[in-house]
Each structure stands twice: as C-alpha cells, then as structure tokens.
Amino acid sequence: MGSTFTRRQFVMGAMVLGGSLALTGCSPKPESKKQDGASGATEPVQADIIVIGSGLAGSACSISAAQNGASVLLVDKAPFLTSTFLTSKGNVSIAQVPENKDEWRFESETPDTMDQFVSRYRNLTEIGKVDAPYPDYSRMQRMMEESCATIAWVEQLGITFEKSFTKEMVGTDTVKPDVSADPATEAGVQVANAFAAEFERLGVRTMLSAEAKELIMDGDAVVGVKVEGPDGVQELRAKAVVLATGGFGGSAEYCDQLVPAINEMGFQYLGNAMNTGDGMTMASAIGAALYEDPWVIPNVIMPTRTLTKADAGFKKLCDTGMEGAATSSKMLVDSTGARFVNEAAPVTALATSMTDNQAGPYYVLFDSSNAEVVAVIEKGLSTGDVLKGVSIEELADAAGAPQLAATFEAYQQAAAAGADEAFGKKADMLAAYGDGPFYLVKFVPSYVATMGGVKTDASCQALGENGSVIPGLFAVGEATHRFMYNRSFVRHCSNSSALTMGRLTGAALATA
C-alpha cells in the first residue's frame, strides 16, 4: 500500500506527536515465517541492507541502495515515514564550485571557488569556537562537492528545485523545492511523497512503529538488529546496518550527560521528539565511539518553556514571529541588566554567548508600542518570567538589575546616533524604544537538532573506541554529522550533508 501524505494526515500527526512530527501513513510490513517445530518463533527477516530511521539521510540511503540493486528494509519507530522533514521548507545548501560546474542549479551572482567556500564556511562554523577537531574540512568539502549532484539525483524523483538563497545572503548558495504547483502543502511533505512513491516503485520494504533495540553481532561484525514493534520482538538480518536515527535532542538523559546547559538553562527543543539518541545507545553498547564535544543547532532565542506553556502566543515573540516582536532590534540583557552581545548577530552567536557567559537569566526588553505584543506579554506576568515597570528605573528595581537603566540610556543614544560602538549592531537594527510600561521577558536559546552521534570514517562506517572500523555498521545524517561543524552550524548544510551521505552510502553498500 503506497503512502501519500494528505493535509489531514499532516495535521493529525502534528497534533499527536508535536510540531515537528507531521503525519500518519501506512506501509507494508515485512513478512516473517514461523520456524518448523517452533511454536510462535519466527525466522529472522533478511535483507541486504537495513536502514534504521527514515529522515532525509535514511530515506536517501534506502532509495540509493535499492536503485543499485540491493534489497532494503527501512525501519522507523514512528508510525509514519520521514517524520523529521515533514514541516521543513526544504532548503538545501549547495557549493557551486568549478568541481561540479556541470551540475550547478543556478548561475551565481559572482563566481565561487572551494577555497572561498571553505573560508566563508569556516567563519560561520567557528563562531564561539571550541578546541575540538571539527569540522573535518576534507569530509565537509567532499559532501559539498557532491551537493549539486545530490540535488540532481533528488530531482529525478519528481521534485523540482529553485533558488532560495545566495552565498551573499547566507554564506552558501541554497535551493528549495518548487511548491508553486501546490502552495498549500509544505515542501517537506512533497519530498516525503516523492520518497514514498520511490520506495514503492523500488520495492523498499518498510517496518513502522518498530523500535530498534539492540545490534546483533557475529564476532566483531554487525549482522542485524533486534526490533520491538506491533508483532513483538523480531530479529532482522543484513550484510550492513545503517543508523539514520537522528540526534539526541529528545532525550533529557543524553542532554544532561552531553550538553548540560540544555536543561540547566532551559533550552527549548523544537526538533523531532522521537530523536532520542537510539543509534548512539545501540552503537556504544557494542564498543562504538561517540563524538566528543557535542553541541546543538540553534534556531531562535525565544521565551522560556514556562511562558510558552502559559500561552502559545509567546512562541511568536522572536525574530520569525509577529510584527513588532523581533528580538534582533531590541536589547538582550543578562541578570544585571547589561548587554553582552550584538542582538542582530547570527543566532549561533546568541546561543553560544548566552551559554558561555553564564550570566542568566537573560531578558529581552519590550516597550508598550505594539498592543498585540503587549497583550501576549501581559499573560505571563503571573509566571514570574515577565517583569513590568512603568519606568525603566522601576523595572530595574523589580528585576534586581542594577545596570539596566544605564544600559537603556546608552542604547537609546546609540539608536539616535545610528552607531552601536559597544557591540557593532548596524544602524537599521538600532530601533529606539518608545514609551512604557516596559517589560523584561525571560528568554532562552532554542534548537532544532544536535551535533554529536556515532564516530564514522569518510565512508560513514562506524568506528570503535580503538579507532578501527566496525564491520557491517554505518551511520548517516544527524546520527553522525558532528564532523561537519565546530561550534556553529552553517545554514541548510545539515539537509545537504544528510542527503549526500545517504545517497553515497546507499550506492556504495549496494555495489560493494
């Protein structure tokens, strides 16, 4: 039975599983046969390749392997496929460099070279840099050299891409699916439908609502996985197992262990709640190494969980929310009322600064110039995460923020002069405050994905703690993409690397 995702399914899935999970669907389950003389026992389900996780990387890997002749079994613990990507706008970064001239997707405004691309990439990913061996620039370059070929490959499935952003705008040329023929449907849903059609055409078997629990070993090699689903516990056997299980943002335990700031500061997780580090858990149990220095991929700074639970309108108090609420044109202050960063800097800089300064709680200052914004803020006064004062001085007293009044005066002067000597905010983002009452609203970083996962080599083969490859085990996508970045992600490159890792790994395994 094919899986075509309707708008109703999209909405129902989002209601059941959260904002980043989006639909219900159906797919055939692999058949298993009872063993002779063994009541209730089943023979292991066989395939050439087992892929665990049906996001961009897992779907691309499954399709590529099947296109190259392999029998593929795609397993996902969600009741539907491609959960992570369904609400996406579908932006994918590409490197339009001489190495892939024949597959450029549009003509750049200015010529590019890989050296120039890497220089821009380095500047972006090393915001808030930590002393870690990431990114692996040779692997990153390999991913990006293949990016245009990857888009051409996806287009063969019936998706047409168009220019989205240029390198002058965001640091990398970017394309997105053309949704003009069906603007009511998210780009991610259209991509998911194209993937589902290809699964059916190629005979990719899918097992849904099936959670991978344990890798099966034969000596030092991985030869399968145990899964638990509607039919109980089953053994699945294959020549290779590919972990495409996403990150660990949905696991409070992993967050505490790997990035304590997430729960200490109350980061808001906006990603797939089912991304709980399953691949990491299974792989480390057999001696696989995990990446050091994990981190997050920030989205926006936004009000705290307390506030967004109190009223959904608080989710709109951010740069991508309602008019008059953009934080980039306002003051972001620490617990003393002092500014500490250019509020219009990339969100990666805001998130790393908020974390590294350890001077929270952090607040965004609002005035009363926008009635719609004020109406939302007033709903949070009883939570303690919103403070109000008729004047700045009164607000400073209420917050116990001794530097707030001086900071406010300096900001108003900078706005009038059009020059922010303290932090270099551009004049067009220096909006002077209007009349009170004034509000301090507690803000935290949000994130959509994590940097971490299973260590892999250039072929996406999992590595043991001693550095040697683990036969039969591979990882793609967010389950291994720590090598792509230092401290800060580069916009839309995660989608790009996920598709490319999946495409290349699937083809290589099928033809090995």
Side-chain angles (χ1 to χ4, degrees):
M1 184 177 189
S3 297
T4 299
F5 307 144
T6 66
R7 180 65 184 172
R8 180 177 181 276
Q9 290 172 325
F10 179 90
V11 173
M12 289 301 294
M15 290 171 61
V16 172
L17 292 169
S20 64
L21 305 181
L23 67 119
T24 57
C26 53
S27 294
K29 294 178 181 177
E31 297 179 357
S32 57
K33 299 178 181 179
K34 291 185 178 180
Q35 295 176 341
D36 293 338
S39 177
T42 60
E43 296 177 359
V45 178
Q46 300 282 344
D48 292 331
I49 300 167
I50 295 169
V51 179
I52 306 172
S54 67
L56 279 187
S59 293
C61 185
S62 299
I63 290 170
S64 182
Q67 286 175 339
N68 285 278
S71 65
V72 179
L73 175 55
L74 178 58
V75 179
D76 202 305
K77 67 179 180 182
F80 45 80
L81 297 169
T82 62
S83 58
T84 301
F85 198 63
L86 290 165
T87 56
S88 173
K89 300 297 183 184
N91 287 300
V92 181
S93 288
I94 53 176
Q96 303 199 120
V97 294
E99 289 86 341
N100 57 27
K101 170 66 175 174
D102 292 342
E103 291 166 324
W104 286 6
R105 313 317 296 167
F106 61 87
E107 289 294 329
S108 297
E109 297 176 17
T110 57
D112 206 2
T113 67
M114 184 53 76
D115 285 346
Q116 292 168 332
F117 180 93
V118 171
S119 178
R120 296 193 308 274
Y121 193 102
R122 187 187 302 274
N123 289 338
L124 291 168
T125 194
E126 294 187 358
I127 294 172
K129 180 180 178 179
V130 294
D131 185 15
Y134 317 121
D136 180 333
Y137 280 102
S138 63
R139 288 189 70 180
M140 181 277 290
Q141 287 182 55
R142 169 67 170 153
M143 292 296 102
M144 299 313 298
E145 285 172 359
E146 291 283 344
S147 59
C148 290
T150 292
I151 295 300
W153 175 78
V154 176
E155 286 186 326
Q156 293 174 5
L157 308 184
I159 299 294
T160 301
F161 285 83
E162 61 182 2
K163 181 168 67 174
S164 180
F165 301 104
T166 67
K167 60 181 178 293
E168 291 81 10
M169 297 166 64
V170 298
T172 62
D173 286 335
T174 306
V175 293
K176 63 181 179 181
D178 179 5
V179 298
S180 57
D182 186 8
T185 303
E186 293 283 3
V189 173
Q190 295 193 25
V191 172
N193 284 335
F195 284 169
E198 192 70 357
F199 294 153
E200 186 165 358
R201 187 185 75 81
L202 294 168
V204 173
R205 293 176 292 166
T206 59
M207 179 181 284
L208 303 180
S209 299
E211 185 170 359
K213 292 288 191 178
E214 179 184 349
L215 295 170
I216 300 171
M217 304 293 291
D218 182 2
D220 63 352
V222 172
V223 295
V225 62
K226 292 181 181 179
V227 302
E228 184 174 347
D231 298 327
V233 176
Q234 290 183 278
E235 286 192 6
L236 314 178
R237 299 283 182 136
K239 299 173 184 177
V241 174
V242 181
L243 302 174
T245 49
F248 58 85
S251 167
E253 293 76 16
Y254 267 131
C255 288
D256 275 338
Q257 175 188 342
L258 301 177
V259 189
I262 290 174
N263 290 329
E264 290 172 359
M265 291 179 59
F267 282 35
Q268 291 255 37
Y269 180 50
L270 305 179
N272 188 334
M274 300 184 82
N275 283 359
T276 52
D278 298 352
M280 297 164 57
T281 301
M282 290 186 292
S284 59
I286 64 163
L290 303 182
Y291 282 110
E292 301 90 358
D293 302 299
W295 183 232
V296 301
I297 292 183
N299 184 38
V300 294
I301 62 168
M302 64 185 297
T304 62
R305 296 172 190 166
T306 298
L307 292 172
T308 56
K309 286 180 180 178
D311 190 276
F314 277 99
K315 295 178 182 178
K316 297 181 180 180
L317 300 188
C318 63
D319 267 0
T320 57
M322 70 176 75
E323 185 177 352
T327 56
S328 55
S329 61
K330 295 178 173 58
M331 281 172 44
L332 173 65
V333 299
D334 62 21
S335 60
T336 72
R339 292 176 69 207
F340 57 95
V341 70
N342 176 351
E343 297 89 348
V347 66
T348 51
L350 303 185
T352 54
S353 294
M354 293 170 78
T355 303
D356 295 347
N357 285 350
Q358 297 184 342
Y362 298 101
Y363 299 93
V364 172
L365 178 69
F366 290 86
D367 60 24
S368 294
S369 59
N370 186 299
E372 185 180 6
V373 172
V374 169
V376 172
I377 293 175
E378 286 278 342
K379 295 176 182 179
L381 285 171
S382 62
T383 67
D385 282 3
V386 174
L387 300 168
K388 179 180 180 179
V390 174
S391 66
I392 287 294
E393 291 75 18
E394 181 180 306
L395 182 58
D397 289 341
Q403 298 188 59
L404 181 61
T407 301
F408 176 80
E409 180 60 28
Y411 191 85
Q412 292 290 77
Q413 291 178 5
D420 177 22
E421 295 182 2
F423 296 99
K425 184 186 285 192
K426 292 182 179 179
D428 60 346
M429 301 304 295
L430 285 169
Y433 280 91
D435 295 332
F438 297 96
Y439 303 86
L440 285 175
V441 181
K442 193 177 292 186
F443 268 64
V444 296
S446 69
Y447 66 108
V448 295
T450 54
M451 300 180 191
V454 179
K455 275 190 177 180
T456 54
D457 66 8
S459 299
C460 292
Q461 187 159 13
L463 300 176
E465 294 177 352
N466 62 0
S468 62
V469 299
I470 299 177
L473 184 62
F474 297 78
V476 294
E478 191 183 345
T480 188
H481 76 174
R482 180 68 182 96
F483 72 87
M484 286 289 294
Y485 310 112
N486 185 275
R487 190 78 178 285
S488 297
F489 80 112
V490 181
R491 288 178 64 177
H492 314 127
C493 284
S494 291
N495 286 346
S496 182
S497 63
L499 285 169
T500 294
M501 273 190 266
R503 175 177 69 86
L504 296 180
T505 302
L509 291 177
T511 57

